Every structure is written in structure tokens, then in C-alpha cells.
């Protein structure tokens, strides 16, 4: 039996699946990841990307932060790919309980997924750091330089920057889903970013699937490992 056939059979036998995904889920939708050869980390800017998207840089130089954010962190033309659509379908079928994502693009929701835990926030939520009023993505994209609230405060994207902690409520909810799952599919992530990557340690079941184009540090822990683009894997799976 091929890995894809095994995956198909396991999905058919499961009704408590949890999916945990990273940047590789969205690269097939045209959103660059951070660490690939063509990713944001390997492009040239006045400052390293990891510096620009840090909390201290945002506070120190918000103009440059927002210039980079609009140009490189937001891809408005991106559409859900086969992986997003397949996961939404599995949820509708009552098999998938939750999507846990490190991505901030909102493509899972666009595909129809309902229970999406966004560990790193979303570009589609933005809030005034002074009064707390929320704004959509358009306000940030259409503003000149620093987006401002009607009260005068800065409108900050509701995304987790470097030096900022994850939302503990979302993190605990993710842990709860993973602990109860009878099948955990991890896709499109090198499992290099903590604390998110540590979520795999809470899985207690016997169907751990790792789908990634390249090897990960946890491949030896997987019950099934597939080194192929995740969109192609799910496209074949849902035929």
C-alpha cells in the first residue's frame, strides 16, 4: 500500500482528525514562506525581515514596519488551494475537528473551514492600540504610512510579531484538540518554530502523519511520512 493509500484509509477510519499546518500550506497559493530559498528571509532589505517584524522594531520604526508589511506580508490575490479545500471538506464530513495554523492569511476560512485556531493571528483583524476598535485589512492597505484610528491611535495588525507571546487561550485550545485527536496530520511546516512546534508532543494517538516537501526534525516520530507538496497530496486524496 502506498503512503497516499494508507493516508486515505486512515482518514476513512477516523472521525477525530486535527490538522496542524505551517507556511508550506500557503506557498501553493502564491504566498512566500520565510525560510525557503525564495522566501522572505533570503531577500534583501535595509533591515533583515526578522528584525522588521519584531515588536521592538514596530515600536521604534512603525513607518518602515508598515511599508514592509504591506509589500511583503499581505498577498491579497491569494486563493485557497487543494489542501485548504480538502480540509474544509473533511470538516463538513464530520471527520476533521480543527485546523491549527501558523499562517496569518485567512485562507482556511476562505476555503470554508470553521474551527480554525490561528496561532500567529490574522492579517484580516487589525485593532487600535489606544481604544481597541477593530478594523479590516482594507484600512491598513489603503492608509498612508502609519494607519491611524479615528481616535488617533495606531492601528496594529492582530498578528504575533517576534518578541511577542502567543495567545494562551488559543494555545491551550490547540493542546486540547491535539490531546483528544485520534489522528494528527502535520503539513507544510519544518517544525522549527517554537512554541508552536512543541504542540506535536501533546499528541497521544497512533496516527501521526507528517506531510512536507523536505524532511523535518520529527520525521522519525511519524507513523506516516510523505515528502511531497501538501496541495498535491490532498488533491489526489479527495478525488
Amino acid at each position: 500500500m502506498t503512503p497516499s493509500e494508507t493516508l486515505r484509509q486512515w482518514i476513512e477510519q477516523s472521525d477525530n482528525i486535527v490538522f496542524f499546518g505551517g507556511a508550506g500550506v500557503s506557498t501553493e497559493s502564491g504566498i512566500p514562506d520565510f525560510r525557503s530559498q525564495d522566501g522572505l528571509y533570503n531577500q534583501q532589505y535595509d533591515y533583515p525581515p526578522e528584525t522588521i517584524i519584531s515588536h521592538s522594531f514596530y515600536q521604534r520604526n512603525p513607518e518602515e514596519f508598515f511599508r514592509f508589511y504591506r509589500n511583503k506580508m499581505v498577498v491579497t490575490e491569494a486563493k485557497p488551494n487543494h489542501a485548504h479545500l480538502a480540509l474544509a471538506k473533511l470538516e463538513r464530513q464530520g471527520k476533521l475537528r480543527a485546523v491549527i495554523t501558523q499562517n496569518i492569511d485567512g485562507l482556511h476560512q476562505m476555503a470554508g473551514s470553521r474551527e480554525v485556531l490561528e496561532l500567529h493571528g490574522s492579517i484580516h483583524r487589525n485593532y487600535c492600540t489606544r481604544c481597541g476598535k477593530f478594523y479590516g485589512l482594507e484600512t491598513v492597505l489603503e492608509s498612508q504610512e502609519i494607519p491611524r484610528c479615528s481616535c488617533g491611535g495606531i492601528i496594529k495588525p492582530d498578528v504575533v510579531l517576534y518578541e511577542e507571546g502567543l495567545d494562551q487561550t488559543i494555545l491551550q485550545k490547540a493542546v486540547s484538540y491535539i490531546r483528544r485527536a485520534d489522528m494528527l496530520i502535520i503539513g507544510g511546516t519544518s517544525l522549527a518554530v517554537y512554541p508552536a512546534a512543541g504542540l506535536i508532543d501533546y499528541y497521544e494517538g497512533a496516527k501521526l502523519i507528517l506531510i512536507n516537501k523536505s524532511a523535518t526534525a520529527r520525521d522519525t516520530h511519524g507513523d506516516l511520512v510523505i515528502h511531497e507538496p501538501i496541495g498535491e497530496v490532498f488533491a489526489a486524496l479527495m478525488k
Side-chain angles (χ1 to χ4, degrees), residues 126-136 139-140 143 146-156:
N126 305 271
Y127 65 94
C128 173
T129 54
R130 179 182 295 176
C131 73
K133 181 179 178 180
F134 271 85
Y135 290 86
T139 302
V140 174
S143 62
I146 303 173
R148 295 279 181 180
C149 175
S150 54
C151 78
I154 295 178
I155 299 172
K156 180 182 182 293

Side-chain angles (χ1 to χ4, degrees), residues 80 101 105-114 116-118 122 125:
T101 181
D105 49 53
L107 291 180
H108 285 292
Q109 291 92 330
M110 196 182 300
S113 290
R114 293 190 168 192
V116 182
L117 305 184
E118 296 170 311
S122 172
R125 294 190 306 271

Side-chain angles (χ1 to χ4, degrees), residues 24-36:
V25 179
S26 292
T27 52
E28 291 170 66
S29 292
I31 296 178
D33 73 10
F34 278 77
R35 294 170 179 80
S36 70

Side-chain angles (χ1 to χ4, degrees), residues 39-52:
L40 294 179
Y41 273 38
N42 292 287
Q43 299 179 29
Q44 297 298 315
Y45 300 96
D46 292 338
Y47 305 90
E50 63 268 32
T51 297
I52 299 175

Side-chain angles (χ1 to χ4, degrees), residues 48-62 65-66 127 129 154 156-157 159-165:
E50 63 268 32
T51 297
I52 299 175
I53 54 175
S54 67
H55 181 79
S56 55
F57 187 92
Y58 159 77
Q59 289 191 311
R60 185 172 67 251
N61 194 343
F65 168 85
F66 278 105
Y127 65 94
T129 54
I154 295 178
K156 180 182 182 293
V159 299
V160 179
L161 305 178
Y162 284 101
E163 304 166 354
E164 294 179 344

Side-chain angles (χ1 to χ4, degrees), residues 63 66 70 138-148:
E63 295 92 346
F66 278 105
R70 292 188 190 95
E138 299 76 19
T139 302
V140 174
L141 294 181
E142 294 170 2
S143 62
Q144 299 296 319
E145 297 183 349
I146 303 173
R148 295 279 181 180

Side-chain angles (χ1 to χ4, degrees), residues 2-211:
T2 67
S4 292
E5 290 171 339
T6 299
L7 179 59
R8 184 191 299 272
Q9 184 181 84
W10 285 3
I11 288 175
E12 289 175 353
Q13 296 170 347
S14 301
D15 64 0
N16 190 353
I17 303 170
V18 171
F19 178 81
F20 172 51
V25 179
S26 292
T27 52
E28 291 170 66
S29 292
I31 296 178
D33 73 10
F34 278 77
R35 294 170 179 80
S36 70
Q37 186 173 355
D38 299 316
L40 294 179
Y41 273 38
N42 292 287
Q43 299 179 29
Q44 297 298 315
Y45 300 96
D46 292 338
Y47 305 90
E50 63 268 32
T51 297
I52 299 175
I53 54 175
S54 67
H55 181 79
S56 55
F57 187 92
Y58 159 77
Q59 289 191 311
R60 185 172 67 251
N61 194 343
E63 295 92 346
E64 182 69 5
F65 168 85
F66 278 105
R67 187 176 72 85
F68 177 87
Y69 181 80
R70 292 188 190 95
N71 291 340
K72 300 300 180 183
M73 301 294 289
V74 178
V75 183
T76 55
E77 64 271 21
K79 302 296 182 185
N81 60 52
H82 290 298
H84 299 105
L85 295 170
L87 291 165
K89 183 177 180 180
L90 289 173
E91 184 183 39
R92 289 194 300 272
Q93 293 173 343
K95 289 185 169 294
L96 183 80
R97 299 300 176 89
V99 168
I100 302 165
T101 181
Q102 294 174 288
N103 298 331
I104 60 175
D105 49 53
L107 291 180
H108 285 292
Q109 291 92 330
M110 196 182 300
S113 290
R114 293 190 168 192
E115 185 64 356
V116 182
L117 305 184
E118 296 170 311
L119 296 176
H120 295 160
S122 172
I123 61 171
H124 299 286
R125 294 190 306 271
N126 305 271
Y127 65 94
C128 173
T129 54
R130 179 182 295 176
C131 73
K133 181 179 178 180
F134 271 85
Y135 290 86
L137 177 59
E138 299 76 19
T139 302
V140 174
L141 294 181
E142 294 170 2
S143 62
Q144 299 296 319
E145 297 183 349
I146 303 173
R148 295 279 181 180
C149 175
S150 54
C151 78
I154 295 178
I155 299 172
K156 180 182 182 293
D158 189 14
V159 299
V160 179
L161 305 178
Y162 284 101
E163 304 166 354
E164 294 179 344
L166 301 187
D167 184 306
Q168 290 301 305
T169 300
I170 294 175
L171 200 57
Q172 287 304 313
K173 196 172 182 181
V175 168
S176 179
Y177 271 118
I178 289 173
R179 276 183 167 150
R180 299 196 308 266
D182 65 11
M183 180 174 175
L184 177 62
I185 303 175
I186 297 178
T189 174
S190 60
L191 292 171
V193 178
Y194 284 81
L199 289 172
I200 187 175
D201 296 326
Y202 292 98
Y203 180 61
E204 300 173 352
K207 293 178 181 176
L208 175 61
I209 296 89
L210 298 170
I211 307 172

